[in-house]
Amino acid sequence: SFHKDSKESESNLPPMVIITPETNIYRRVAVIHTTPEDSFVEFGCDYGITVDRIRRSLKDGGNVPEEWNGDASSTGIGEGMERNDIVSCLGIDKSIESIDIATGRYPQCKFVLGDALDPAEMTNIRALCERSLVGQAPSVIAIDVNGNREIDGVLKCLKSVINQDWKQQPRLIIVKSRYLYWQLKKEDDSFKKI
């Protein structure tokens, strides 16, 4: 039977997925729905703006540790993170340029190079989360892989994240994709006509 207060029951539920069409909505949803008890990972963090907003929101809410105090020059998945370097939020991007800019702008955040569409790298990302995230797994995942990318690429990334063998299933996944949002809205409108 399902008991609302049971962590075990909640962890067996599939994550809620929210699709947003625009960056400002995506960031607002991420801030509003990430609580001080959560750990947060953004795939496609680009220059780190969303990760820093989440870090500041968690700091305001009292979550500790909220800041990365490690070596800002280590950006690889397996580099520069000891077990005592626990963070609440993490940014991942496949562009070294984006990671370098994000690290320079937000040195109190942790950013790493990685590609969610590469199965081997995704396994390494999961292992990094187990070593470095509060709770050893993200409870909130945000996906912004060029939010206007073809729907197939966004869905492939979403599938990769959902099918990952996390220590604990994320409770929420937020996706920014204008095309996916409008495709779903169009399909929803067609169902209303039936």
Side-chain angles (χ1 to χ4, degrees), residues 7 14 30 37 43-44 48 50 73 77 91 98 120 124 135 140 144 146 150 157 166 171 180 184-186 191:
K7 286 286 188 189
E37 293 79 30
F43 290 93
T50 304
S73 66
I77 291 173
S98 292
N124 291 335
V140 176
D144 183 2
N146 293 333
E150 300 270 338
C157 183
W166 301 104
R171 68 173 182 79
L180 180 57
L184 292 171
K185 184 164 177 42
K186 185 172 115 183
F191 285 118

Side-chain angles (χ1 to χ4, degrees), residues 52-65:
D52 185 62
R53 285 191 182 172
I54 297 299
R55 181 199 60 80
R56 287 184 285 134
S57 175
L58 292 174
K59 183 177 180 180
D60 291 346
N63 193 2
V64 179

Side-chain angles (χ1 to χ4, degrees), residues 16-138:
M16 176 186 293
V17 178
I18 298 174
I19 312 293
T20 66
E22 304 297 335
T23 301
N24 62 331
I25 298 168
Y26 166 82
R27 289 182 179 146
R28 186 170 185 195
V29 167
V31 168
I32 289 170
H33 291 283
T34 304
T35 69
E37 293 79 30
D38 285 319
S39 56
F40 176 87
V41 171
E42 183 179 28
F43 290 93
C45 68
D46 198 29
Y47 298 155
I49 295 168
T50 304
V51 173
D52 185 62
R53 285 191 182 172
I54 297 299
R55 181 199 60 80
R56 287 184 285 134
S57 175
L58 292 174
K59 183 177 180 180
D60 291 346
N63 193 2
V64 179
E66 69 281 345
E67 295 185 1
W68 166 249
N69 294 315
D71 178 6
S73 66
S74 62
T75 57
I77 291 173
E79 299 176 21
M81 298 220 46
E82 301 300 325
R83 183 67 196 127
N84 60 352
D85 293 327
I86 305 297
V87 295
S88 300
C89 49
L90 178 65
I92 300 166
D93 202 283
K94 68 178 186 174
S95 163
I96 187 69
E97 179 185 347
S98 292
I99 293 298
D100 288 345
I101 291 169
T103 301
R105 287 183 179 174
Y106 308 108
Q108 65 278 35
C109 295
K110 178 62 182 167
F111 300 99
V112 295
L113 191 62
D115 185 353
L117 299 180
D118 180 316
E121 285 192 37
M122 193 60 197
T123 298
N124 291 335
I125 290 167
R126 187 190 75 239
L128 173 67
C129 289
E130 291 172 2
R131 289 191 316 272
S132 63
L133 271 182
V134 171
Q136 299 182 314

